[in-house]
Amino acid sequence: MLQANDLGFQYEFLPARSPDNDVTLLVLHGTGGTQYDLIPLGERLYPAAAILSPLGKVSENGMARFFRRLSPGVFDLDDLRFRTNELADFVRRAVATHQLNSHRVVAAGYSNGANIAASLLLLAPDVLRCAVLLRPMVPLVPQKLPNLDGVQVFISGGRHDEIVAPAEAVRLAELLHESGATVSIHWAEAGHGLISQEIAAARDWLAAHIKCSAS
């Protein structure tokens, strides 16, 4: 495992386990997480992939996040736009530095990480061709929708989520679909925490769809 902080973020990088180095998982932690937290999740989702895991740069009472919020569920949109572009630049630099396939970068984000992954799709659509969004909500609605034709998205919502209302997953799916993405929604009989059944569903979906994303 490599540790680095010279691309604008502290991050962890695990090289691909397959010789073709074809798929990279950009794993994005939730509020209060670290760059280490979702590496086991990435290894379960796609064992052969390289893993790129940055640490969110915003601190909320000492807890790392990827962008500021004004209150629970209310985002600082100016900061969100800035942080989204900052993360997009990091991914582009990491792709060049680690000689990754730029057409096979897959976001796998949880909660706050899922929200900035959705923001990447909406504001920097060149970065991702596929995304697994776990417990997301609508981060923002851009003035002009991007062209997400060929982009594949898996959304997993918790039917009993006490933090993110299930309707948010539906709203996000509709927004991404309106932008041209192909979206699959999975519902977990769970709250905000993840359960093994939805990880298995995300793994199976990813295996079936990653090669189908546009190159």
Side-chain angles (χ1 to χ4, degrees):
M1 183 183 301
L2 302 179
Q3 297 178 325
N5 59 8
D6 59 354
L7 299 179
F9 278 79
Q10 295 184 48
Y11 70 99
E12 296 292 306
F13 177 74
L14 280 71
R17 298 181 186 178
S18 63
D20 59 6
N21 193 32
D22 189 45
V23 177
T24 299
L25 290 182
L26 172 68
V27 296
L28 300 166
H29 63 77
T31 299
T34 74
Q35 66 270 46
Y36 308 107
D37 289 359
L38 294 191
I39 288 176
L41 172 67
E43 291 174 327
R44 290 179 64 185
L45 288 177
Y46 204 94
I51 294 179
L52 182 65
S53 182
L55 174 66
K57 297 172 71 172
V58 172
S59 176
E60 180 182 274
N61 300 320
M63 298 185 297
R65 286 177 51 86
F66 286 99
F67 60 90
R68 289 185 61 226
R69 60 182 172 182
L70 304 176
S71 61
V74 180
F75 303 146
D76 181 333
L77 296 184
D78 289 338
D79 187 68
L80 174 57
R81 293 185 184 93
F82 174 80
R83 299 295 178 184
T84 299
N85 289 321
E86 183 181 51
L87 183 61
D89 288 342
F90 161 75
V91 175
R92 296 183 187 109
R93 288 193 293 268
V95 164
T97 298
H98 297 292
Q99 300 181 314
L100 307 173
N101 183 346
S102 63
H103 300 297
R104 295 279 189 261
V105 178
V106 180
Y110 167 63
S111 194
N112 179 241
N115 293 338
I116 199 160
S119 189
L120 277 174
L121 290 169
L122 294 167
L123 298 180
D126 63 298
V127 173
L128 303 173
R129 302 303 302 170
C130 199
V132 173
L133 308 179
L134 307 168
R135 303 296 186 277
M137 56 189 300
V138 176
L140 81 171
V141 179
Q143 290 186 339
K144 180 180 179 181
L145 294 181
N147 179 358
L148 296 180
D149 286 349
V151 173
Q152 308 277 343
V153 181
F154 176 92
I155 292 175
S156 185
R159 290 194 187 278
H160 314 292
D161 196 326
E162 66 281 9
I163 296 177
V164 178
E168 282 291 319
V170 175
R171 286 184 59 221
L172 179 60
E174 291 173 347
L175 179 61
L176 295 173
H177 178 73
E178 187 178 351
S179 300
T182 300
V183 184
S184 298
I185 299 184
H186 173 86
W187 292 105
E189 295 295 336
H192 199 61
L194 302 177
I195 60 175
S196 59
Q197 289 88 344
E198 64 188 307
I199 303 305
R203 179 198 60 207
D204 293 346
W205 178 90
L206 190 56
H209 289 82
I210 179 58
K211 298 297 184 183
C212 300
S213 61
S215 60

